[in-house]
Amino acid sequence: MLKRSKLFLLIFFMISAILIVIIYKQFVVEKPKVVFVFRTLDNQYDEIIRAGVEQGCKDFGIDGLVMAPKNGTASEQMKILENVLKEHPDVLVVSPAMSPDIIPKLVEYAKKNIPVLLIDTDEPWKNKTAYIGTNNVELGRKAGILMATMLQPGDKVALIGRESSVERERIKGAKVSLEAAGINIAAETLKLSIEDKEDNQNVIKVIETILQQHPDLKGVITSTDYLAIPVVKLLQEQGITMPVTGADGISKMVELVEKGTLTGTVAQNPYDMGYLSVQAALKVTRGEKIKRNIDSGVDIITEDNAKQKLDFLNKVLK
């Protein structure tokens, strides 16, 4: 009788242990592993995206890792992607460098059935799961509309951008709106290097030449804040007042609007971009369908909402 009781207790404990393991697996699920590979993290725009990613990972229970090449080169990003592939993450979220070698590397992820989401920079690659970011033609269109509201038909505007498909789309959208409003495009350049930053002297030389050729210029649309800021600085030094728009929504540009130096600008939503990418990655790990294009939106920044935007940026970047 005692032996039978011991056997019964042993079976009872074994069944209990099995049930505990089953219940534990049901309620304690391993976090999805998602790797985010940016082009760079050496500017505020990408830091804002990163803040959105980190908050999203926290809110959605994602095991997220953010990586970027130290010098922002395509070759460095290639090496990072090679190393990440060996770890076989559940999802890759990448802002692809401007290089013909990047897509073939991403194809290797597709061959291993690792979903690839593109963030910030889209590419015409059929195997991408989705693109999360700005509709750049729409951003340019809104910049053109905003500029037109500050000018009169017949006024002259300059368009300044860099050598990338993203910035060409922004300038394209701006041209459509400006021409529809009867604004003359006095100058257009997309020859600046993608490596140009806000203090690059090439930007200054471009706007100086345009002003010499068109002293009656009334406005400037740039494809990024990092081009707009040095343009504004030069205009201030020469005592010239005219509207200038950027595209990124970084603090320095928003501050110019808040102070009244600029009437307004357009801005991407990099924080939302990062946050939405985490949300999309989570859905992918669950086998849920997501939209092919997830638009993170474009804001119009004016004196009325500039402080609110700055307060938000200060909060997420602290």
Side-chain angles (χ1 to χ4, degrees), residues 131 133-140 169-170 268 295-298:
Y131 161 65
T134 305
N135 180 327
N136 289 294
V137 174
E138 179 64 12
L139 182 147
E169 288 179 350
R170 294 173 186 174
Q268 300 180 82
D295 190 350
S296 52
V298 177

Side-chain angles (χ1 to χ4, degrees), residues 144 147-148 151-157 177-185:
M147 181 64 66
L151 302 179
Q152 298 295 325
D155 283 346
K156 293 182 178 181
V157 169
S177 296
L178 292 171
E179 290 170 353
I183 304 297
N184 293 326
I185 299 171

Side-chain angles (χ1 to χ4, degrees), residues 26-227:
Q26 286 180 336
F27 289 95
V28 183
V29 181
E30 186 177 354
K31 292 182 178 181
K33 295 180 180 178
V34 182
V35 177
F36 301 81
V37 180
F38 293 176
R39 288 195 303 272
T40 181
L41 283 171
D42 69 350
N43 60 58
Q44 190 188 82
Y45 175 79
D46 288 292
E47 284 295 339
I48 298 170
I49 299 179
R50 180 176 188 166
V53 166
E54 291 176 345
Q55 186 61 50
C57 288
K58 181 180 178 181
D59 290 350
F60 296 116
I62 294 286
D63 182 5
L65 175 64
V66 178
M67 307 177 73
K70 291 182 180 180
N71 297 313
T73 65
S75 60
E76 286 178 303
Q77 191 181 60
M78 284 284 291
K79 290 179 182 178
I80 291 174
L81 290 171
E82 288 173 1
N83 292 330
V84 170
L85 183 60
K86 296 174 184 177
E87 299 298 321
H88 206 285
D90 293 313
V91 180
L92 171 70
V93 181
V94 59
S95 178
M98 307 294 179
S99 169
D101 298 324
I102 293 296
I103 296 303
K105 178 55 62 178
L106 297 181
V107 169
E108 295 181 28
Y109 280 80
K111 289 179 179 178
K112 289 193 174 185
N113 296 316
I114 301 173
V116 177
L117 308 181
L118 303 185
I119 183 172
D120 183 48
T121 302
D122 197 8
E123 289 286 350
W125 177 44
K126 66 179 182 179
N127 290 326
K128 66 187 174 189
T129 301
Y131 161 65
I132 303 100
T134 305
N135 180 327
N136 289 294
V137 174
E138 179 64 12
L139 182 147
R141 190 184 72 83
K142 287 187 176 181
I145 292 173
L146 177 63
M147 181 64 66
T149 64
M150 297 183 280
L151 302 179
Q152 298 295 325
D155 283 346
K156 293 182 178 181
V157 169
L159 307 177
I160 302 176
R162 302 182 297 186
E163 296 174 331
S164 77
S165 58
V166 166
E167 297 186 30
R168 283 195 296 271
E169 288 179 350
R170 294 173 186 174
I171 296 300
K172 176 183 176 181
K175 288 174 68 175
V176 170
S177 296
L178 292 171
E179 290 170 353
I183 304 297
N184 293 326
I185 299 171
E188 176 184 347
T189 179
L190 282 163
K191 295 181 179 180
L192 291 169
S193 168
I194 196 67
E195 301 301 326
D196 284 334
K197 300 298 183 181
E198 59 182 293
D199 60 348
N200 194 290
Q201 289 303 309
N202 290 334
V203 182
I204 302 298
K205 291 177 182 178
V206 166
I207 190 60
E208 284 179 334
T209 300
I210 292 173
L211 289 171
Q212 289 171 3
Q213 296 173 347
H214 304 279
D216 55 345
L217 192 72
K218 298 297 183 181
V220 180
I221 291 179
T222 68
S223 57
T224 80
D225 288 356
Y226 295 102
L227 298 180

